[in-house]
Amino acid sequence: MKTLNEWFEDYSLSHKNLTNKKIHYICVPLIFFSVIGLFMTIPNQILTPFASIHPVLANWAFIILLFVLFFYFRLSIKMGIKMLVFTTICLVGNYIIAQSVPLLWFSILVFTVGWIGQFYGHKIEGKKPSFISDLQFLLIGPAWVIHSVFKMN
């Protein structure tokens, strides 16, 4: 199994251009946020018992994020904690947004804008996105952004 630093080194190979990096610093979190929103819109009758604890927990995004967070914690306890904070912000943020606008359409819009930005950044970079070679890079991207932007190890 690769270490977190090995993942970051591999991911960085197609993210050297400063403009592409800046685009990623914005678009990767937007995509992550929107995917959580999309999962939150899946009907969740099975999960209604969790609603008595808190409505944020009664959705598929919460269940899926448990597995995603396990991936991050396996790589690094520190990164797992950082991603736990970020995913909590995303869950709560989507919950708040859903109170005032249709979350499905909002998430589709944010998702589309984020991917347009990503592909534009890779056009500038002149390299294909990392996830083309390994889908796990779709999970490495958000951790790489948090690591890069906040200079966290």
Side-chain angles (χ1 to χ4, degrees), residues 40-61:
M40 287 178 76
T41 65
I42 297 172
N44 55 4
Q45 291 80 6
I46 298 169
L47 303 173
T48 41
F50 292 107
S52 62
I53 301 169
H54 194 280
V56 171
L57 306 179
N59 64 71
W60 288 108

Side-chain angles (χ1 to χ4, degrees), residues 3 10 17 26 36 38-39 72 74 90 98 102 119 145 148 151:
T3 67
D10 289 349
N17 180 282
I26 295 166
I36 291 173
L38 290 169
F39 280 123
Y72 292 122
R74 265 189 32 212
C90 291
F119 285 115
V145 167
S148 299
K151 303 292 184 221

